[in-house]
Amino acid sequence: MQNFTQYAPTEIIFGKETECRAGAEVKKWGGTRVFLVYGGGSAVRSGLLKRVETSLEQEGISWYEFGGVKPNPRLSFAREGVKKALEEKADFILAVGGGSAIDTAKAIAHGVANPEADLWDIWTKKVPLKKSTPAGCVLTISAAGSETSDSAVLTNEELGKKAGINTDFNRLKFAIMNPELTYTLPRYQLACGIVDIMMHTLERYFIPGPSNEMTDEIAEGLLRTVIRNGRKAMKNQEDYDAMSEIMWCGSLSHNNLTELGRGKDFSVHKLGHALGARYDAAHGATLSAVWGAWADYVYENDLARFQHYGKAVWGIEEEDTGKAARQAIDRTVDYFRELGMPVNLKELLDTPVTEEDIQALAKDATMNGTVKLSRIKELGEEDVRRIFEAARER
């Protein structure tokens, strides 16, 4: 058993109508003036926001609405949120939505607690983060896992950069999770979420060296569960059990449980972030579009791991290690295609990708060649360029 430290303090309130407990949860954590962060009009039209506000009112808690979060959450919007939250003297930040709303809420929480610092300076670690404002969420999308993770992502529109920050200050006080709130998601968004959940697990799974048996079993069981229930959910989004399993998988995939004793390697996410920042493409779709090309490029450096993955997750019994590894990659890509997800850049983007675009993406993903990606095989800027090139029409 490899050494590890596990820390996952977020309280989970899971099940039907749990959004009506938001006020009680905020009160338990000392909140009296809530800054409500949400995305588009669906939270309003569905009545969800009203139910949350009613629960706050019942506990004598005031609130201020801050709607308009977009996918690939914007730094400028988070900065505006910090200013408004400070004006409103908010002492608790509550997200109602998916990963973009939650990440924006985390950023606002950090900014409110550190009003003298610019958010991008916090994000780029020019200013060390030593405190934050309490925050929680009512989850509406099973995907990013931000409700239980120590990470958050923002896009700096001025620089065209998408970056994440990992810190225990990103841990929410609570996450309210009612699978029924995901019933009306667009089909494409549901599929993107399934890919994101799988990728959060795979980015922790393909790590060279010894692994803890129990950690592997959790990761493999999670992958089998989300694959199986993803198929069910794509046929019937009101299958409560299937949507419940996907929602819980999303939280477990990104709370660091599946990396214990192994660590993580978010190199595919770096590629996806470069695409997301440049083309404003859906996050899950950017991952499915490049994963196959990444796996093609690195798998020979850990054939045994890919073979084990194929057998444990996909039931592949091929004894030849190389053939089994290839089949595992193909089965994964085929599943993305089955979900209706893009598996190359041509399918992802409406615009042609030029050689100049490929080079720019490689620079973005490696921070102008200063950062090496991947633990299976070290990837410099030229390696990443080749992966993007291969991903154009894989």
Side-chain angles (χ1 to χ4, degrees):
M1 178 73 77
Q2 305 298 308
N3 291 0
F4 64 83
T5 299
Q6 166 68 343
Y7 179 66
T10 302
E11 181 183 9
I12 305 297
I13 301 97
F14 193 103
K16 298 178 180 181
E17 300 181 358
T18 48
E19 65 272 19
C20 297
R21 293 172 55 184
E25 288 299 314
V26 170
K27 186 175 184 178
K28 181 168 68 178
W29 293 103
T32 62
R33 299 176 67 86
V34 170
F35 196 71
L36 271 174
V37 181
Y38 62 99
S42 61
V44 177
R45 291 190 300 271
S46 67
L48 172 59
L49 198 65
K50 180 63 176 177
R51 294 196 297 276
V52 170
E53 291 175 346
T54 297
S55 76
L56 294 171
E57 185 177 18
Q58 289 172 345
E59 299 294 339
I61 298 170
S62 64
W63 68 86
Y64 179 87
E65 293 183 6
F66 188 66
V69 175
K70 291 180 171 57
N72 295 311
R74 274 55 165 181
L75 172 66
S76 61
F77 189 77
R79 281 173 171 158
E80 182 184 348
V82 172
K83 181 180 178 181
K84 290 288 186 182
L86 287 169
E87 290 174 356
E88 295 297 320
K89 296 181 171 57
D91 58 13
F92 197 97
I93 315 300
L94 181 62
V96 178
S100 295
I102 297 170
D103 285 2
T104 301
K106 290 178 179 181
I108 294 171
H110 303 336
V112 168
N114 302 275
E116 73 289 346
D118 180 70
L119 277 182
W120 195 244
D121 287 341
I122 292 174
W123 238 247
T124 54
K125 300 181 181 179
K126 291 180 181 178
V127 174
L129 185 63
K130 297 182 179 179
K131 58 182 177 178
S132 191
T133 308
C137 79
V138 177
L139 184 65
T140 63
I141 303 172
S142 306
S146 188
E147 67 275 7
T148 56
S149 79
D150 65 354
S151 66
V153 175
L154 286 178
T155 298
N156 186 326
E157 315 97 298
E158 293 180 3
L159 301 179
K161 302 290 185 183
K162 187 174 181 179
I165 180 175
N166 290 82
T167 169
D168 284 336
F169 291 110
N170 278 330
R171 300 285 192 178
L172 299 182
K173 297 302 184 183
F174 66 83
I176 290 174
M177 300 165 60
N178 176 1
E180 291 182 322
L181 300 180
T182 66
Y183 283 0
T184 57
L185 285 175
R187 183 181 175 85
Y188 187 74
Q189 201 167 9
L190 172 62
C192 281
I194 293 167
V195 171
D196 203 8
I197 292 166
M198 290 180 66
M199 208 62 62
H200 284 150
T201 311
L202 293 172
E203 296 266 63
R204 293 172 164 94
Y205 189 83
F206 287 110
I207 304 294
S211 297
N212 290 345
E213 181 180 345
M214 190 67 245
T215 300
D216 274 0
E217 291 285 350
I218 293 170
E220 291 156 6
L222 193 158
L223 287 164
R224 291 194 302 269
T225 300
V226 77
I227 289 166
R228 181 171 59 251
N229 286 282
R231 288 184 169 125
K232 294 178 182 179
M234 293 299 286
K235 293 178 181 177
N236 178 14
Q237 284 187 222
E238 294 191 9
D239 183 331
Y240 181 81
D241 289 335
M243 299 298 272
S244 296
E245 296 293 347
I246 293 170
M247 180 171 270
W248 187 224
C249 283
S251 293
L252 293 180
S253 73
H254 207 26
N255 71 351
N256 294 347
L257 184 63
T258 60
E259 72 180 54
L260 300 183
R262 182 168 52 234
K264 58 190 168 189
D265 170 13
F266 269 42
S267 54
V268 178
H269 269 72
K270 298 293 186 184
L271 308 181
H273 284 170
L275 286 165
R278 182 167 289 269
Y279 298 103
D280 199 24
H283 178 56
T286 67
L287 301 177
S288 64
V290 298
W291 187 85
W294 169 85
D296 289 345
Y297 199 82
V298 306
Y299 83 100
E300 290 183 344
N301 284 58
D302 203 344
L303 287 171
R305 188 63 170 167
F306 276 87
Q307 180 186 36
H308 181 79
Y309 162 69
K311 183 174 183 178
V313 175
W314 296 107
I316 296 170
E317 296 293 343
E318 172 63 56
E319 294 184 3
D320 182 278
T321 302
K323 290 181 180 178
R326 284 288 342 149
Q327 289 178 28
I329 295 170
D330 291 342
R331 289 287 293 276
T332 306
V333 173
D334 286 346
Y335 182 71
F336 294 158
R337 188 178 286 114
E338 179 185 336
L339 295 173
M341 286 286 94
V343 296
N344 55 53
L345 300 188
K346 184 178 181 180
E347 294 176 1
L348 174 70
L349 305 171
D350 293 330
T351 181
V353 181
T354 66
E355 290 297 330
E356 290 77 13
D357 294 330
I358 294 291
Q359 191 62 58
L361 287 166
K363 287 183 176 296
D364 288 346
T366 61
M367 297 183 68
N368 291 317
T370 63
V371 174
K372 304 289 186 181
L373 307 183
S374 184
R375 289 172 59 180
I376 291 179
K377 177 180 181 178
E378 187 177 87
L379 304 176
E381 182 181 334
E382 178 58 21
D383 299 294
V384 172
R385 189 199 66 76
R386 291 176 182 174
I387 291 172
F388 276 124
E389 180 69 37
R392 284 211 280 195
E393 293 189 50
R394 183 188 185 279

